[in-house]
Amino acid sequence: MKLVIATRNARKLEEIHAIFNFQGLEVCSAFDFPHIPDVVEDGDTLEANAIKKAVEICNATGLPTLADDSGLEVEALNGEPGVYSARWSGEGCTYADNNAKLLRELAGKTNRRAQFRTVIALALPGERPLTVEGAVKGTIIDELRGEQGFGYDPLFMPDGYNQTFAELPAEVKNKISHRARALNAASNVWTQLRCGT
Ligand code: ITT
């Protein structure tokens, strides 16, 4: 059986491959279907965008599809950037632009608590999509540290560690991250779906 991973983010795809046990599934991604237009992520929540990505790609390919929508939720910013994490500093912005904005917005603030949250939607042809989620709590530090990962990783230090996600080895991020937790939950749901329970 084939499973499509509905992402065009190569770093995210790498993490999903490292974390998820595909149990003999033939896995492909949105990169394998270049003719399918990008899904417009205009939902108000991570859940809405994950479902939209999974359902649109499932409808376009006719194949079971897994979509991940993730965001950074910062306490002192009332949960921002959240669902707007990708384009927080404007259309066409870079990870560097977003990290610079995060440092500016938190300048002088003592509450640096934040969490990464991932919602995963699974869509099977002709069935209602299912969602699961995972989160990891931590703090936003005041300078960029590390080269690994992507996005806000150089500013996010998970609780219990004194290195950022961009400094920790990929194996560690992939064990404790929001994405790892959501994918573990997705794996259980997937097993149930395949067993028809
Ligand atoms: P797809 O929609 O094609 O999957 P994307 O990069 O737009 O790729 P998301 O909408 O899920 O992915 O993520 C929004 C932003 O959140 C992303 O651009 C990053 O800045 C940030 N982000 C997501 N996961 C992250 C992670 O594990 N570490 C750091 N930043 C992350």
Side-chain angles (χ1 to χ4, degrees):
M1 187 192 269
K2 271 194 176 181
L3 177 68
V4 185
I5 311 297
T7 185
R8 292 191 204 275
N9 178 328
R11 304 302 283 272
K12 182 194 278 191
L13 186 60
E14 217 172 89
E15 290 187 6
I16 292 174
H17 273 287
I19 297 165
F20 194 71
N21 179 357
F22 289 101
Q23 299 169 353
L25 284 169
E26 196 184 324
V27 183
C28 49
S29 78
F31 290 118
D32 298 308
F33 300 93
H35 60 285
I36 298 177
D38 274 344
V39 177
V40 180
E41 297 183 42
D42 55 2
D44 290 340
T45 61
L46 298 177
E47 288 78 359
N49 281 338
I51 289 173
K52 191 171 185 213
K53 283 193 263 191
V55 169
E56 283 191 20
I57 302 283
C58 175
N59 288 342
T61 60
L63 294 169
T65 301
L66 180 154
D68 156 326
D69 203 53
S70 301
L72 178 70
E73 299 172 336
V74 180
E75 258 184 35
L77 304 179
N78 301 315
E80 275 201 44
V83 71
Y84 307 108
S85 292
R87 283 167 290 280
W88 196 32
S89 30
E91 211 51 50
C93 64
T94 63
Y95 293 147
D97 295 332
N98 286 335
N99 282 323
K101 176 168 179 176
L102 182 55
L103 288 177
R104 276 197 312 275
E105 297 274 335
L106 286 182
K109 294 209 163 46
T110 48
N111 180 1
R112 314 285 293 200
R113 299 293 298 156
Q115 69 171 4
F116 272 122
R117 196 160 68 87
T118 292
V119 176
I120 288 189
L122 277 168
L124 273 69
E127 291 185 31
R128 276 167 58 104
L130 297 171
T131 59
V132 290
E133 68 172 78
V136 58
K137 291 185 189 299
T139 52
I140 304 300
I141 60 167
D142 57 13
E143 59 176 2
L144 295 156
R145 280 174 34 184
E147 305 292 333
Q148 318 223 49
F150 64 98
Y152 299 92
D153 282 345
L155 290 175
F156 183 84
M157 193 177 283
D159 288 348
Y161 294 82
N162 56 14
Q163 288 176 296
T164 66
F165 264 167
E167 293 178 302
L168 288 164
E171 307 84 77
V172 177
K173 179 183 177 191
N174 289 340
K175 233 181 230 136
I176 64 170
S177 76
H178 46 309
R179 182 159 297 110
R181 290 173 178 164
L183 283 167
N184 286 334
S187 173
N188 294 336
V189 168
W190 179 254
T191 307
Q192 285 166 26
L193 284 174
R194 296 191 83 193
C195 297
T197 52

